[in-house]
Amino acid sequence: MTFTHRHLLGIEHLRPEEIVTLLDLADDYVALNKGETKHSEALAGLTQINMFFENSTRTQASFELAGKRLGADVMNMAMQASSITKGETLIDTALTLNAMHPDLLVVRHPHSGAVDLLAQKVNCAVLNAGDGRHEHPTQALLDALTIRRAKGRLHRLNIAICGDIAHSRVARSNIILLGKMENRIRLIGPPTLMPSGIAEFGVEVYDDMARGLEDVDVVMMLRLQRERMDGGFIPSEREYYHRFGLDAAKLSYAKPDAIVMHPGPMNRGVEIDGTLADDINRSVIQDQVEMGVAVRMAAMDLLARNLRDLRGAA
Ligand code: NCD
């Protein structure tokens, strides 16, 4: 098998052939999910615990559904209500959970690096569901699957990632993945929302939508991550929408068959026009949600196979 990891912590650690293996398996799960009986036994007997230290709607629901469709026993820990608020450290929480013998731990945390740290302390497979502004690997994988299915390939595409790049783990994981698969990546946004040292990632940077979107195959929009900003990164939301919000007029600079993506949650009228987001001829936003479940099923299936191999060898 070409996917040999114990955890899924970031795209950084994956080789291109491992990404392809995972996406191929996810394609099978897309087919399963379209059928009458959406069930397999890949995780039968295993326990999956979801620990979300940050709010999430679609990612948590998607992981929960993915685990249930694969036959795992799935538990959601309400972290706001847990001992964390009583001052317990992340490591203490991890050790407590470890004593319950989970097999798969899905973790979202506001601090970059927290999920890696946790993975070192537990005896199960850990999946990063987003850590600070660091990585969000399953989001990049579901975006990749959406692009591959819409465009028929995942290489040599012109892909624009637009908006609040600096605060976005979605952007970071996507830049790494799409770069590994040899695409041409353009980042578009105001200079205040570009991370420092971005040139090292081998991307082109624009602060103008008309020039940046010229001839692109894929337009990926990002939310303004207000919760990670401490002050004046943009003049006003109205001004931001005027310059960087995607509407039909700005999209006309891209290729005529360019697709529109957004990881959600969307701010309609801030980074994207609501009508365009709902236009099923251009927008693949609902497909992204559908691919999310399949990609998470594939990721947990592969990790569970490795876990069983590891335990069998011990
Ligand atoms: C993203 C996240 O949480 O990083 N959302 C998601 O996972 N669907 C992007 C965001 O919050 O804007």
Side-chain angles (χ1 to χ4, degrees):
M1 195 171 74
T2 53
F3 189 96
T4 53
H5 300 273
R6 215 180 136 199
H7 308 293
L8 179 62
L9 300 175
I11 299 298
E12 208 174 351
H13 311 291
L14 302 182
R15 288 177 285 121
E17 58 270 31
E18 293 176 316
I19 293 169
V20 171
T21 297
L22 198 150
L23 297 184
D24 289 347
L25 182 59
D27 265 329
D28 295 343
Y29 281 125
V30 175
L32 180 80
N33 289 339
K34 284 188 199 290
E36 188 74 39
T37 307
K38 302 168 184 61
H39 212 267
S40 115
E41 295 294 315
L43 302 184
L46 300 184
T47 299
Q48 172 192 338
I49 301 184
N50 299 332
M51 290 170 81
F52 280 66
F53 295 90
E54 238 186 28
N55 291 337
S56 164
T57 321
R58 75 210 75 218
T59 306
Q60 184 167 345
S62 181
F63 267 112
E64 184 176 352
L65 198 55
K68 287 182 170 161
R69 287 191 178 161
L70 295 181
D73 295 309
V74 185
M75 186 182 86
N76 291 309
M77 290 278 290
M79 297 318 295
Q80 250 63 340
S82 81
S83 300
I84 291 288
T85 50
K86 299 178 191 158
E88 189 175 85
T89 67
L90 175 65
I91 301 305
D92 284 332
T93 307
L95 294 178
T96 304
L97 282 175
N98 209 27
M100 298 178 189
H101 300 291
D103 303 289
L104 296 147
L105 207 51
V106 179
V107 189
R108 168 170 286 193
H109 200 281
H111 296 154
S112 305
V115 183
D116 288 51
L117 183 70
L118 206 131
Q120 293 164 25
K121 305 286 175 192
V122 294
N123 300 319
C124 61
V126 175
L127 292 101
N128 182 1
D131 65 323
R133 48 178 96 171
H134 178 228
E135 280 236 37
H136 191 352
T138 56
Q139 179 70 46
L141 288 161
L142 77 87
D143 289 338
L145 186 61
T146 307
I147 295 171
R148 195 174 81 166
R149 290 172 71 101
K151 293 281 150 204
R153 66 179 199 275
L154 190 57
H155 59 274
R156 295 214 194 166
L157 292 165
N158 292 332
I159 300 171
I161 307 178
C162 313
D164 184 2
I165 314 284
H167 301 99
S168 176
R169 53 194 174 211
V170 175
R172 199 167 175 282
S173 288
N174 264 305
I175 292 166
I176 300 171
L177 190 155
L178 296 168
K180 280 184 198 244
M181 305 314 284
E182 300 187 0
N183 296 283
R184 214 167 128 194
I185 304 166
R186 303 185 190 171
L187 306 181
I188 315 175
T192 47
L193 296 178
M194 286 293 159
S196 54
I198 193 65
E200 289 161 36
F201 282 88
V203 296
E204 296 164 40
V205 179
Y206 295 85
D207 67 355
D208 175 80
M209 292 287 272
R211 282 180 44 241
L213 289 180
E214 203 179 317
D215 252 359
V216 303
D217 301 284
V218 176
V219 186
M220 196 181 283
M221 301 308 299
L222 298 171
R223 184 175 65 91
L224 283 178
Q225 314 246 310
R226 292 275 188 203
E227 71 277 23
R228 301 207 176 89
M229 296 182 195
D230 47 7
F233 283 85
I234 56 159
S236 74
E237 286 188 351
R238 240 186 102 200
E239 168 80 9
Y240 182 82
Y241 181 66
H242 178 67
R243 288 202 56 201
F244 298 103
L246 188 68
D247 56 12
K250 293 195 191 81
L251 184 62
S252 68
Y253 296 108
K255 284 195 184 151
D257 62 348
I259 55 169
V260 175
M261 305 178 75
H262 194 303
M266 263 187 289
N267 295 306
R268 291 167 185 262
V270 180
E271 71 265 1
I272 191 164
D273 169 55
T275 312
L276 180 58
D278 296 334
D279 178 357
I280 54 165
N281 295 315
R282 305 308 298 271
S283 161
V284 294
I285 295 170
Q286 295 308 320
D287 299 303
Q288 289 174 271
V289 178
E290 182 183 349
M291 296 309 122
V293 179
V295 152
R296 287 165 182 130
M297 289 167 85
M300 290 197 289
D301 181 353
L302 291 172
L303 290 177
R305 293 185 208 182
N306 293 344
L307 191 71
R308 287 185 166 121
D309 286 350
L310 211 67
R311 286 175 180 169

PDB file of all heavy atoms in Angstrom, residues 116-149:
ATOM      1  N   ASP A 116      -0.370  18.217  16.654  1.00  0.00           N
ATOM      2  CA  ASP A 116       0.873  17.430  16.564  1.00  0.00           C
ATOM      3  C   ASP A 116       1.323  16.996  17.959  1.00  0.00           C
ATOM      4  O   ASP A 116       1.718  15.849  18.188  1.00  0.00           O
ATOM      5  CB  ASP A 116       2.016  18.260  15.957  1.00  0.00           C
ATOM      6  CG  ASP A 116       1.827  18.505  14.473  1.00  0.00           C
ATOM      7  OD1 ASP A 116       0.728  18.960  14.100  1.00  0.00           O
ATOM      8  OD2 ASP A 116       2.750  18.216  13.706  1.00  0.00           O
ATOM      9  N   LEU A 117       1.258  17.939  18.898  1.00  0.00           N
ATOM     10  CA  LEU A 117       1.679  17.674  20.274  1.00  0.00           C
ATOM     11  C   LEU A 117       0.834  16.555  20.872  1.00  0.00           C
ATOM     12  O   LEU A 117       1.355  15.606  21.476  1.00  0.00           O
ATOM     13  CB  LEU A 117       1.507  18.969  21.093  1.00  0.00           C
ATOM     14  CG  LEU A 117       1.954  18.924  22.542  1.00  0.00           C
ATOM     15  CD1 LEU A 117       3.479  18.833  22.612  1.00  0.00           C
ATOM     16  CD2 LEU A 117       1.478  20.175  23.292  1.00  0.00           C
ATOM     17  N   LEU A 118      -0.462  16.645  20.651  1.00  0.00           N
ATOM     18  CA  LEU A 118      -1.371  15.647  21.175  1.00  0.00           C
ATOM     19  C   LEU A 118      -1.083  14.263  20.587  1.00  0.00           C
ATOM     20  O   LEU A 118      -1.125  13.248  21.297  1.00  0.00           O
ATOM     21  CB  LEU A 118      -2.790  16.093  20.821  1.00  0.00           C
ATOM     22  CG  LEU A 118      -3.864  15.588  21.732  1.00  0.00           C
ATOM     23  CD1 LEU A 118      -4.745  16.742  22.152  1.00  0.00           C
ATOM     24  CD2 LEU A 118      -4.682  14.552  21.030  1.00  0.00           C
ATOM     25  N   ALA A 119      -0.754  14.249  19.307  1.00  0.00           N
ATOM     26  CA  ALA A 119      -0.501  12.968  18.620  1.00  0.00           C
ATOM     27  C   ALA A 119       0.667  12.218  19.246  1.00  0.00           C
ATOM     28  O   ALA A 119       0.726  10.987  19.212  1.00  0.00           O
ATOM     29  CB  ALA A 119      -0.244  13.218  17.136  1.00  0.00           C
ATOM     30  N   GLN A 120       1.601  12.987  19.838  1.00  0.00           N
ATOM     31  CA  GLN A 120       2.758  12.341  20.467  1.00  0.00           C
ATOM     32  C   GLN A 120       2.410  11.687  21.805  1.00  0.00           C
ATOM     33  O   GLN A 120       3.206  10.941  22.356  1.00  0.00           O
ATOM     34  CB  GLN A 120       3.871  13.382  20.690  1.00  0.00           C
ATOM     35  CG  GLN A 120       4.454  13.906  19.390  1.00  0.00           C
ATOM     36  CD  GLN A 120       5.239  15.186  19.600  1.00  0.00           C
ATOM     37  OE1 GLN A 120       5.731  15.453  20.687  1.00  0.00           O
ATOM     38  NE2 GLN A 120       5.368  15.990  18.542  1.00  0.00           N
ATOM     39  N   LYS A 121       1.246  12.011  22.351  1.00  0.00           N
ATOM     40  CA  LYS A 121       0.902  11.548  23.697  1.00  0.00           C
ATOM     41  C   LYS A 121      -0.126  10.427  23.728  1.00  0.00           C
ATOM     42  O   LYS A 121      -0.477   9.952  24.792  1.00  0.00           O
ATOM     43  CB  LYS A 121       0.331  12.727  24.516  1.00  0.00           C
ATOM     44  CG  LYS A 121       1.225  13.936  24.581  1.00  0.00           C
ATOM     45  CD  LYS A 121       2.402  13.702  25.498  1.00  0.00           C
ATOM     46  CE  LYS A 121       3.354  14.885  25.454  1.00  0.00           C
ATOM     47  NZ  LYS A 121       4.629  14.594  26.105  1.00  0.00           N
ATOM     48  N   VAL A 122      -0.678  10.065  22.588  1.00  0.00           N
ATOM     49  CA  VAL A 122      -1.759   9.069  22.598  1.00  0.00           C
ATOM     50  C   VAL A 122      -1.381   7.849  21.753  1.00  0.00           C
ATOM     51  O   VAL A 122      -0.486   7.905  20.915  1.00  0.00           O
ATOM     52  CB  VAL A 122      -3.091   9.681  22.079  1.00  0.00           C
ATOM     53  CG1 VAL A 122      -3.598  10.743  23.026  1.00  0.00           C
ATOM     54  CG2 VAL A 122      -2.919  10.236  20.676  1.00  0.00           C
ATOM     55  N   ASN A 123      -2.091   6.743  21.989  1.00  0.00           N
ATOM     56  CA  ASN A 123      -1.774   5.486  21.298  1.00  0.00           C
ATOM     57  C   ASN A 123      -2.697   5.202  20.122  1.00  0.00           C
ATOM     58  O   ASN A 123      -2.932   4.054  19.791  1.00  0.00           O
ATOM     59  CB  ASN A 123      -1.920   4.308  22.267  1.00  0.00           C
ATOM     60  CG  ASN A 123      -0.999   4.457  23.447  1.00  0.00           C
ATOM     61  OD1 ASN A 123       0.151   4.872  23.282  1.00  0.00           O
ATOM     62  ND2 ASN A 123      -1.484   4.151  24.634  1.00  0.00           N
ATOM     63  N   CYS A 124      -3.287   6.230  19.553  1.00  0.00           N
ATOM     64  CA  CYS A 124      -4.232   5.967  18.456  1.00  0.00           C
ATOM     65  C   CYS A 124      -3.888   6.860  17.275  1.00  0.00           C
ATOM     66  O   CYS A 124      -2.969   7.663  17.342  1.00  0.00           O
ATOM     67  CB  CYS A 124      -5.652   6.229  18.939  1.00  0.00           C
ATOM     68  SG  CYS A 124      -5.901   7.914  19.466  1.00  0.00           S
ATOM     69  N   ALA A 125      -4.647   6.680  16.206  1.00  0.00           N
ATOM     70  CA  ALA A 125      -4.447   7.530  15.025  1.00  0.00           C
ATOM     71  C   ALA A 125      -5.095   8.884  15.273  1.00  0.00           C
ATOM     72  O   ALA A 125      -6.220   8.957  15.754  1.00  0.00           O
ATOM     73  CB  ALA A 125      -5.069   6.866  13.805  1.00  0.00           C
ATOM     74  N   VAL A 126      -4.375   9.966  14.962  1.00  0.00           N
ATOM     75  CA  VAL A 126      -4.900  11.312  15.167  1.00  0.00           C
ATOM     76  C   VAL A 126      -5.108  11.988  13.818  1.00  0.00           C
ATOM     77  O   VAL A 126      -4.225  11.947  12.949  1.00  0.00           O
ATOM     78  CB  VAL A 126      -3.943  12.156  16.045  1.00  0.00           C
ATOM     79  CG1 VAL A 126      -4.439  13.596  16.160  1.00  0.00           C
ATOM     80  CG2 VAL A 126      -3.804  11.534  17.437  1.00  0.00           C
ATOM     81  N   LEU A 127      -6.274  12.592  13.643  1.00  0.00           N
ATOM     82  CA  LEU A 127      -6.552  13.369  12.426  1.00  0.00           C
ATOM     83  C   LEU A 127      -6.701  14.836  12.795  1.00  0.00           C
ATOM     84  O   LEU A 127      -7.484  15.184  13.681  1.00  0.00           O
ATOM     85  CB  LEU A 127      -7.846  12.891  11.758  1.00  0.00           C
ATOM     86  CG  LEU A 127      -7.771  11.488  11.161  1.00  0.00           C
ATOM     87  CD1 LEU A 127      -8.423  10.475  12.085  1.00  0.00           C
ATOM     88  CD2 LEU A 127      -8.413  11.450   9.785  1.00  0.00           C
ATOM     89  N   ASN A 128      -5.962  15.671  12.113  1.00  0.00           N
ATOM     90  CA  ASN A 128      -6.027  17.106  12.350  1.00  0.00           C
ATOM     91  C   ASN A 128      -7.240  17.685  11.608  1.00  0.00           C
ATOM     92  O   ASN A 128      -7.288  17.661  10.386  1.00  0.00           O
ATOM     93  CB  ASN A 128      -4.726  17.753  11.849  1.00  0.00           C
ATOM     94  CG  ASN A 128      -4.681  19.251  12.093  1.00  0.00           C
ATOM     95  OD1 ASN A 128      -5.613  19.824  12.648  1.00  0.00           O
ATOM     96  ND2 ASN A 128      -3.588  19.879  11.661  1.00  0.00           N
ATOM     97  N   ALA A 129      -8.191  18.219  12.372  1.00  0.00           N
ATOM     98  CA  ALA A 129      -9.377  18.837  11.758  1.00  0.00           C
ATOM     99  C   ALA A 129      -9.232  20.359  11.732  1.00  0.00           C
ATOM    100  O   ALA A 129     -10.216  21.086  11.643  1.00  0.00           O
ATOM    101  CB  ALA A 129     -10.623  18.431  12.524  1.00  0.00           C
ATOM    102  N   GLY A 130      -7.987  20.836  11.792  1.00  0.00           N
ATOM    103  CA  GLY A 130      -7.693  22.262  11.762  1.00  0.00           C
ATOM    104  C   GLY A 130      -6.999  22.703  13.027  1.00  0.00           C
ATOM    105  O   GLY A 130      -7.571  22.584  14.107  1.00  0.00           O
ATOM    106  N   ASP A 131      -5.743  23.173  12.909  1.00  0.00           N
ATOM    107  CA  ASP A 131      -5.026  23.696  14.081  1.00  0.00           C
ATOM    108  C   ASP A 131      -4.548  25.114  13.796  1.00  0.00           C
ATOM    109  O   ASP A 131      -3.670  25.347  12.980  1.00  0.00           O
ATOM    110  CB  ASP A 131      -3.863  22.772  14.495  1.00  0.00           C
ATOM    111  CG  ASP A 131      -2.748  22.666  13.480  1.00  0.00           C
ATOM    112  OD1 ASP A 131      -3.048  22.663  12.254  1.00  0.00           O
ATOM    113  OD2 ASP A 131      -1.571  22.604  13.884  1.00  0.00           O
ATOM    114  N   GLY A 132      -5.191  26.080  14.478  1.00  0.00           N
ATOM    115  CA  GLY A 132      -4.814  27.492  14.322  1.00  0.00           C
ATOM    116  C   GLY A 132      -4.786  27.889  12.869  1.00  0.00           C
ATOM    117  O   GLY A 132      -5.704  27.585  12.105  1.00  0.00           O
ATOM    118  N   ARG A 133      -3.684  28.543  12.462  1.00  0.00           N
ATOM    119  CA  ARG A 133      -3.571  28.902  11.055  1.00  0.00           C
ATOM    120  C   ARG A 133      -2.572  27.988  10.346  1.00  0.00           C
ATOM    121  O   ARG A 133      -2.035  28.325   9.307  1.00  0.00           O
ATOM    122  CB  ARG A 133      -3.205  30.375  10.892  1.00  0.00           C
ATOM    123  CG  ARG A 133      -2.067  30.841  11.748  1.00  0.00           C
ATOM    124  CD  ARG A 133      -1.758  32.295  11.482  1.00  0.00           C
ATOM    125  NE  ARG A 133      -2.413  33.170  12.446  1.00  0.00           N
ATOM    126  CZ  ARG A 133      -2.173  34.466  12.536  1.00  0.00           C
ATOM    127  NH1 ARG A 133      -1.338  35.047  11.710  1.00  0.00           N
ATOM    128  NH2 ARG A 133      -2.768  35.192  13.459  1.00  0.00           N
ATOM    129  N   HIS A 134      -2.330  26.815  10.937  1.00  0.00           N
ATOM    130  CA  HIS A 134      -1.307  25.907  10.432  1.00  0.00           C
ATOM    131  C   HIS A 134      -1.799  25.029   9.291  1.00  0.00           C
ATOM    132  O   HIS A 134      -1.488  25.274   8.128  1.00  0.00           O
ATOM    133  CB  HIS A 134      -0.763  25.073  11.612  1.00  0.00           C
ATOM    134  CG  HIS A 134       0.256  24.066  11.250  1.00  0.00           C
ATOM    135  ND1 HIS A 134       0.201  22.758  11.689  1.00  0.00           N
ATOM    136  CD2 HIS A 134       1.360  24.152  10.478  1.00  0.00           C
ATOM    137  CE1 HIS A 134       1.243  22.107  11.210  1.00  0.00           C
ATOM    138  NE2 HIS A 134       1.955  22.921  10.470  1.00  0.00           N
ATOM    139  N   GLU A 135      -2.603  23.981   9.610  1.00  0.00           N
ATOM    140  CA  GLU A 135      -3.049  23.068   8.550  1.00  0.00           C
ATOM    141  C   GLU A 135      -4.491  22.618   8.762  1.00  0.00           C
ATOM    142  O   GLU A 135      -5.013  22.621   9.885  1.00  0.00           O
ATOM    143  CB  GLU A 135      -2.133  21.841   8.473  1.00  0.00           C
ATOM    144  CG  GLU A 135      -0.815  22.099   7.717  1.00  0.00           C
ATOM    145  CD  GLU A 135      -0.588  21.139   6.539  1.00  0.00           C
ATOM    146  OE1 GLU A 135      -1.570  20.788   5.851  1.00  0.00           O
ATOM    147  OE2 GLU A 135       0.582  20.752   6.330  1.00  0.00           O
ATOM    148  N   HIS A 136      -5.105  22.212   7.689  1.00  0.00           N
ATOM    149  CA  HIS A 136      -6.458  21.652   7.700  1.00  0.00           C
ATOM    150  C   HIS A 136      -6.466  20.621   6.562  1.00  0.00           C
ATOM    151  O   HIS A 136      -7.049  20.834   5.505  1.00  0.00           O
ATOM    152  CB  HIS A 136      -7.471  22.782   7.464  1.00  0.00           C
ATOM    153  CG  HIS A 136      -8.908  22.416   7.699  1.00  0.00           C
ATOM    154  ND1 HIS A 136      -9.330  21.122   7.953  1.00  0.00           N
ATOM    155  CD2 HIS A 136     -10.031  23.193   7.725  1.00  0.00           C
ATOM    156  CE1 HIS A 136     -10.652  21.137   8.111  1.00  0.00           C
ATOM    157  NE2 HIS A 136     -11.091  22.365   7.983  1.00  0.00           N
ATOM    158  N   PRO A 137      -5.759  19.486   6.799  1.00  0.00           N
ATOM    159  CA  PRO A 137      -5.486  18.568   5.682  1.00  0.00           C
ATOM    160  C   PRO A 137      -6.719  17.993   4.998  1.00  0.00           C
ATOM    161  O   PRO A 137      -6.740  17.902   3.772  1.00  0.00           O
ATOM    162  CB  PRO A 137      -4.636  17.465   6.325  1.00  0.00           C
ATOM    163  CG  PRO A 137      -4.808  17.603   7.802  1.00  0.00           C
ATOM    164  CD  PRO A 137      -5.108  19.048   8.053  1.00  0.00           C
ATOM    165  N   THR A 138      -7.763  17.624   5.759  1.00  0.00           N
ATOM    166  CA  THR A 138      -8.915  17.018   5.070  1.00  0.00           C
ATOM    167  C   THR A 138      -9.650  18.044   4.206  1.00  0.00           C
ATOM    168  O   THR A 138     -10.264  17.685   3.206  1.00  0.00           O
ATOM    169  CB  THR A 138      -9.911  16.331   6.048  1.00  0.00           C
ATOM    170  OG1 THR A 138     -10.346  17.259   7.044  1.00  0.00           O
ATOM    171  CG2 THR A 138      -9.262  15.128   6.724  1.00  0.00           C
ATOM    172  N   GLN A 139      -9.567  19.333   4.578  1.00  0.00           N
ATOM    173  CA  GLN A 139     -10.181  20.357   3.723  1.00  0.00           C
ATOM    174  C   GLN A 139      -9.434  20.432   2.383  1.00  0.00           C
ATOM    175  O   GLN A 139     -10.060  20.470   1.322  1.00  0.00           O
ATOM    176  CB  GLN A 139     -10.163  21.725   4.419  1.00  0.00           C
ATOM    177  CG  GLN A 139     -10.765  22.849   3.578  1.00  0.00           C
ATOM    178  CD  GLN A 139     -12.268  22.739   3.412  1.00  0.00           C
ATOM    179  OE1 GLN A 139     -12.981  22.504   4.376  1.00  0.00           O
ATOM    180  NE2 GLN A 139     -12.773  22.908   2.193  1.00  0.00           N
ATOM    181  N   ALA A 140      -8.110  20.446   2.426  1.00  0.00           N
ATOM    182  CA  ALA A 140      -7.340  20.513   1.170  1.00  0.00           C
ATOM    183  C   ALA A 140      -7.595  19.265   0.318  1.00  0.00           C
ATOM    184  O   ALA A 140      -7.683  19.345  -0.905  1.00  0.00           O
ATOM    185  CB  ALA A 140      -5.852  20.668   1.473  1.00  0.00           C
ATOM    186  N   LEU A 141      -7.744  18.109   0.973  1.00  0.00           N
ATOM    187  CA  LEU A 141      -7.991  16.866   0.220  1.00  0.00           C
ATOM    188  C   LEU A 141      -9.376  16.877  -0.421  1.00  0.00           C
ATOM    189  O   LEU A 141      -9.550  16.439  -1.556  1.00  0.00           O
ATOM    190  CB  LEU A 141      -7.819  15.653   1.144  1.00  0.00           C
ATOM    191  CG  LEU A 141      -6.356  15.369   1.533  1.00  0.00           C
ATOM    192  CD1 LEU A 141      -6.292  14.482   2.782  1.00  0.00           C
ATOM    193  CD2 LEU A 141      -5.592  14.716   0.384  1.00  0.00           C
ATOM    194  N   LEU A 142     -10.365  17.397   0.301  1.00  0.00           N
ATOM    195  CA  LEU A 142     -11.711  17.446  -0.286  1.00  0.00           C
ATOM    196  C   LEU A 142     -11.758  18.481  -1.401  1.00  0.00           C
ATOM    197  O   LEU A 142     -12.453  18.292  -2.414  1.00  0.00           O
ATOM    198  CB  LEU A 142     -12.786  17.687   0.785  1.00  0.00           C
ATOM    199  CG  LEU A 142     -12.998  19.077   1.380  1.00  0.00           C
ATOM    200  CD1 LEU A 142     -13.969  19.903   0.562  1.00  0.00           C
ATOM    201  CD2 LEU A 142     -13.531  18.946   2.792  1.00  0.00           C
ATOM    202  N   ASP A 143     -11.010  19.554  -1.257  1.00  0.00           N
ATOM    203  CA  ASP A 143     -10.922  20.540  -2.337  1.00  0.00           C
ATOM    204  C   ASP A 143     -10.255  19.907  -3.567  1.00  0.00           C
ATOM    205  O   ASP A 143     -10.699  20.105  -4.696  1.00  0.00           O
ATOM    206  CB  ASP A 143     -10.128  21.770  -1.874  1.00  0.00           C
ATOM    207  CG  ASP A 143     -10.907  22.610  -0.850  1.00  0.00           C
ATOM    208  OD1 ASP A 143     -12.151  22.498  -0.811  1.00  0.00           O
ATOM    209  OD2 ASP A 143     -10.275  23.362  -0.094  1.00  0.00           O
ATOM    210  N   ALA A 144      -9.209  19.128  -3.325  1.00  0.00           N
ATOM    211  CA  ALA A 144      -8.497  18.466  -4.425  1.00  0.00           C
ATOM    212  C   ALA A 144      -9.423  17.493  -5.159  1.00  0.00           C
ATOM    213  O   ALA A 144      -9.438  17.433  -6.391  1.00  0.00           O
ATOM    214  CB  ALA A 144      -7.269  17.734  -3.887  1.00  0.00           C
ATOM    215  N   LEU A 145     -10.216  16.732  -4.396  1.00  0.00           N
ATOM    216  CA  LEU A 145     -11.134  15.768  -5.020  1.00  0.00           C
ATOM    217  C   LEU A 145     -12.203  16.510  -5.842  1.00  0.00           C
ATOM    218  O   LEU A 145     -12.539  16.101  -6.953  1.00  0.00           O
ATOM    219  CB  LEU A 145     -11.797  14.890  -3.948  1.00  0.00           C
ATOM    220  CG  LEU A 145     -12.678  13.750  -4.457  1.00  0.00           C
ATOM    221  CD1 LEU A 145     -11.879  12.760  -5.297  1.00  0.00           C
ATOM    222  CD2 LEU A 145     -13.369  13.014  -3.298  1.00  0.00           C
ATOM    223  N   THR A 146     -12.691  17.622  -5.293  1.00  0.00           N
ATOM    224  CA  THR A 146     -13.695  18.423  -6.009  1.00  0.00           C
ATOM    225  C   THR A 146     -13.113  18.936  -7.334  1.00  0.00           C
ATOM    226  O   THR A 146     -13.764  18.862  -8.378  1.00  0.00           O
ATOM    227  CB  THR A 146     -14.146  19.617  -5.135  1.00  0.00           C
ATOM    228  OG1 THR A 146     -14.571  19.128  -3.851  1.00  0.00           O
ATOM    229  CG2 THR A 146     -15.282  20.378  -5.793  1.00  0.00           C
ATOM    230  N   ILE A 147     -11.887  19.436  -7.282  1.00  0.00           N
ATOM    231  CA  ILE A 147     -11.238  19.959  -8.492  1.00  0.00           C
ATOM    232  C   ILE A 147     -11.006  18.828  -9.492  1.00  0.00           C
ATOM    233  O   ILE A 147     -11.304  18.948 -10.682  1.00  0.00           O
ATOM    234  CB  ILE A 147      -9.888  20.645  -8.145  1.00  0.00           C
ATOM    235  CG1 ILE A 147     -10.125  21.878  -7.275  1.00  0.00           C
ATOM    236  CG2 ILE A 147      -9.124  21.010  -9.425  1.00  0.00           C
ATOM    237  CD1 ILE A 147      -8.850  22.500  -6.692  1.00  0.00           C
ATOM    238  N   ARG A 148     -10.496  17.680  -8.999  1.00  0.00           N
ATOM    239  CA  ARG A 148     -10.189  16.564  -9.896  1.00  0.00           C
ATOM    240  C   ARG A 148     -11.449  16.081 -10.614  1.00  0.00           C
ATOM    241  O   ARG A 148     -11.420  15.785 -11.803  1.00  0.00           O
ATOM    242  CB  ARG A 148      -9.530  15.425  -9.119  1.00  0.00           C
ATOM    243  CG  ARG A 148      -8.866  14.394 -10.015  1.00  0.00           C
ATOM    244  CD  ARG A 148      -8.091  13.363  -9.224  1.00  0.00           C
ATOM    245  NE  ARG A 148      -8.924  12.313  -8.678  1.00  0.00           N
ATOM    246  CZ  ARG A 148      -8.454  11.162  -8.182  1.00  0.00           C
ATOM    247  NH1 ARG A 148      -7.136  10.944  -8.145  1.00  0.00           N
ATOM    248  NH2 ARG A 148      -9.262  10.249  -7.702  1.00  0.00           N
ATOM    249  N   ARG A 149     -12.562  16.016  -9.900  1.00  0.00           N
ATOM    250  CA  ARG A 149     -13.811  15.550 -10.510  1.00  0.00           C
ATOM    251  C   ARG A 149     -14.404  16.586 -11.472  1.00  0.00           C
ATOM    252  O   ARG A 149     -14.983  16.233 -12.493  1.00  0.00           O
ATOM    253  CB  ARG A 149     -14.830  15.179  -9.431  1.00  0.00           C
ATOM    254  CG  ARG A 149     -14.431  13.902  -8.681  1.00  0.00           C
ATOM    255  CD  ARG A 149     -15.337  13.655  -7.499  1.00  0.00           C
ATOM    256  NE  ARG A 149     -16.673  13.256  -7.882  1.00  0.00           N
ATOM    257  CZ  ARG A 149     -17.139  12.003  -7.871  1.00  0.00           C
ATOM    258  NH1 ARG A 149     -16.350  11.013  -7.517  1.00  0.00           N
ATOM    259  NH2 ARG A 149     -18.382  11.746  -8.212  1.00  0.00           N
TER     260      ARG A 149
END
